Amino acid sequence: MEMFCYQCQETLRNEGCVAQGVCGKSPETSNLQDLLIYVLKGISYWANKARELDVEDESIDLFVAEGLFVTITNVNFDEGRIVEYIDEALDKRRIIENKFKEVYERKYNKKFKEKVPDAAVWNPKDNNEYEYLHKAVEVGVLSESDEDIRSLKNFLVIGLKGVAAYTDHAYILKHSNDDILAFIEKALAETLREDITVDELMNLVLKVGEYGVNAMALLDEANTSIFGNPEITQVYTGTYETPAILVSGHDLLDLYEILEQTKGKGIKVYTHGEMLPANAYPELKKYEHLAGNFGGSWWKQQQEFEDFGGAVVMTTNCIQKPRNSYKDRIFTTGLVGWPDVQHIPNRKKSGQKDFTPVIQKALEIGPIKKRDGKAITIGFAHEQTAQVADKIVEAVKSGKITKFYVMGGCDGRNKDREYYTNFAKNLPKSSVILTAGCAKYRYNMLDLGDIDGIPRVIDAGQCNDSYSLVLTALKLKEAFDLKDINELPIEYNIAWYEQKAVTVLLSLLYMGVKGIRLGPTLPAFLSPNVLETVAKTFDIKTI
Ligand code: SF4
Ligand code: SF3
């Protein structure tokens, strides 16, 4: 079976994965994800129309965001689960279509008779996977024939995936913003228009940046109001000889519930990958059995999970094919899925997820190996950075700090990414790196030292905490009384891998940042014309 996917940085030959994903995604899963997005566009068509008549259904809007999140690279590889999402999407589409038509008919006293796009009305006869796969090949990325329109529609959907992911995280923490969900649906519905122009699409793509900032701000508000503002924290990277659980991904609430449910059980809990920043949140670090961070970024997980020895929980991306050596002790939860891997179900209306199977597994395995580690410093989110702002400004004024390098984003397995380690190593000693996201694992263990107590790697947190980096830049702009953010002694060298980093990039562009370096390669989904326009407008450079 054939497929076509070019949404991430590791896409084959920087053109597209056609037989199997470099990430491990099967053609079936890839095509089913294409169909899911197609039906989400159909839902959005009706939801948009309904909104014009003041009819809204938050559960449907949120489902659209979740559906997009499910298709992010390394989130869900389980064909069966994607089929279930398509089933649910078709149900939800019917519900919102009926709600709209009911109000329309009542209001105008006539039937709704406009021409409706196929995505909004296509109905399978049997709702089975065979039929879904058949339809999927008609509606994938390549179904759009014009190269630039195809590029922009995909750029738009890819950017929306990141917005959707951050918004979904905030909603899990009961922080909401209808405007963001409405924008996601508006933009998705627009991709169904046959007469949409390059300019209209480009404007929508740039608008994603605005909503990216809003989504990151919403998530920041959710995280900090519930778990407190991150504090500068030393995190141990070794392990102790006790039963253990390793928690990876981005979902802080999952970690919180695991910490609560493991209290007094003799289990130590460690973070992995993008969960490292959790160690800096007061309401999480207060748990004594949160013992530190083990391992590096996502692509090293197969070796690291094998070595770790205890139970492992993947709360969001990036999961990789589990080796047999640990397949019986890794668990997925939330939107993450891998065939035949135990899945911890969602919360019931109120109450926590039940992590008992993970806890039992950790206890059954018993103590893991003791390993020595070092300490890394984290916790420089915006509040904490503001508290040391005077010191930073002083160091800039006295010439001790000559430049900042924003090096946020994603890590990946390409050899080329050693560039980021070398870049960090070779920077002048008077420069400071501002980082967020798993890109940091390329240089956060390097012992780059400090400048008058200010570490040379200032780690703001997860990829969504790039928001913190922007706030820090704005504070510096204020402190130096500058008019333009681009007058600051800051260079941006962003590493991307999956779609959330595309959202972060668009958010930086929206904030007016110019001259960003993007690497290790430029996105394959940008056609030559689109790339030229974006590069020219924003002075984007390669590494
Ligand atoms: Fe290929 Fe990336 Fe798509 Fe996976 S997510 S199939 S690696 S382009
Ligand atoms: Fe990393 Fe997957 Fe993107 Fe949240 S964990 S930054 S790649």
Side-chain angles (χ1 to χ4, degrees), residues 166 250 274 298 317-318 409-411 437-438 463 497-498 500:
Y166 294 147
H250 302 70
E274 274 284 72
W298 64 273
N317 52 320
C318 283
C410 307
D411 195 12
C438 67
C463 46
Y497 169 65
E498 37 79 24
K500 290 190 257 180

Side-chain angles (χ1 to χ4, degrees), residues 3-12 15-18 20-26 30 33 71-74 77 413 497-499 524:
M3 59 179 273
F4 188 83
C5 180
Y6 61 174
Q7 66 171 351
C8 85
Q9 189 274 322
E10 288 189 354
T11 195
L12 191 67
E15 287 170 5
C17 295
V18 286
Q20 167 88 23
V22 173
C23 60
K25 194 158 74 173
S26 71
S30 180
Q33 290 184 350
T71 68
I72 284 183
T73 305
N74 294 340
F77 293 82
R413 72 198 116 203
Y497 169 65
E498 37 79 24
Q499 299 76 59

Side-chain angles (χ1 to χ4, degrees), residues 72-75 166 248-250 272-275 297-299 301 314 316-319 408-412 417 436-441 461-465 495-501 504:
I72 284 183
T73 305
N74 294 340
V75 171
Y166 294 147
S248 193
H250 302 70
H272 175 267
E274 274 284 72
M275 200 56 88
S297 72
W298 64 273
W299 62 275
Q301 70 184 246
M314 291 300 307
T316 67
N317 52 320
C318 283
I319 189 171
C410 307
D411 195 12
R417 289 186 188 251
C438 67
K440 66 169 77 82
Y441 283 104
Q462 298 180 335
C463 46
N464 44 288
D465 296 311
W496 83 286
Y497 169 65
E498 37 79 24
Q499 299 76 59
K500 290 190 257 180
V504 169

Side-chain angles (χ1 to χ4, degrees), residues 249-310:
H250 302 70
D251 194 311
L252 299 184
L253 187 59
D254 284 339
L255 176 67
Y256 168 79
E257 292 179 353
I258 291 169
L259 288 166
E260 267 295 308
Q261 292 172 31
T262 46
K263 259 193 322 203
K265 292 202 159 67
I267 296 173
K268 290 214 187 286
V269 177
Y270 302 83
T271 57
H272 175 267
E274 274 284 72
M275 200 56 88
L276 164 65
N279 290 280
Y281 285 87
E283 289 305 311
L284 297 169
K285 68 188 266 192
K286 71 177 187 196
Y287 293 92
E288 274 172 21
H289 61 301
L290 178 60
N293 187 73
F294 178 78
S297 72
W298 64 273
W299 62 275
K300 292 183 173 162
Q301 70 184 246
Q302 288 173 324
Q303 193 57 52
E304 288 172 355
F305 291 175
E306 180 169 308
D307 293 346
F308 179 70

Side-chain angles (χ1 to χ4, degrees), residues 403-408 419-420 423 432 434 466 468-474 476-477 484-495 504-505 507-509 511-519 538-543:
K403 202 162 232 180
F404 297 93
Y405 289 84
V406 171
M407 288 180 72
Y419 156 85
Y420 293 105
F423 188 88
V432 169
L434 303 171
S466 301
S468 258
L469 299 182
V470 168
L471 290 190
T472 300
L474 289 175
L476 288 174
K477 182 182 131 203
D484 185 343
I485 203 169
N486 294 299
E487 289 170 33
L488 283 166
I490 303 184
E491 288 209 15
Y492 293 79
N493 193 346
I494 306 294
V504 169
L505 173 74
S507 303
L508 290 174
L509 299 183
M511 300 295 297
V513 178
K514 295 243 159 68
I516 296 173
R517 279 184 200 282
L518 182 65
F538 298 101
D539 189 23
I540 289 186
K541 302 172 196 153
T542 51
I543 59 173

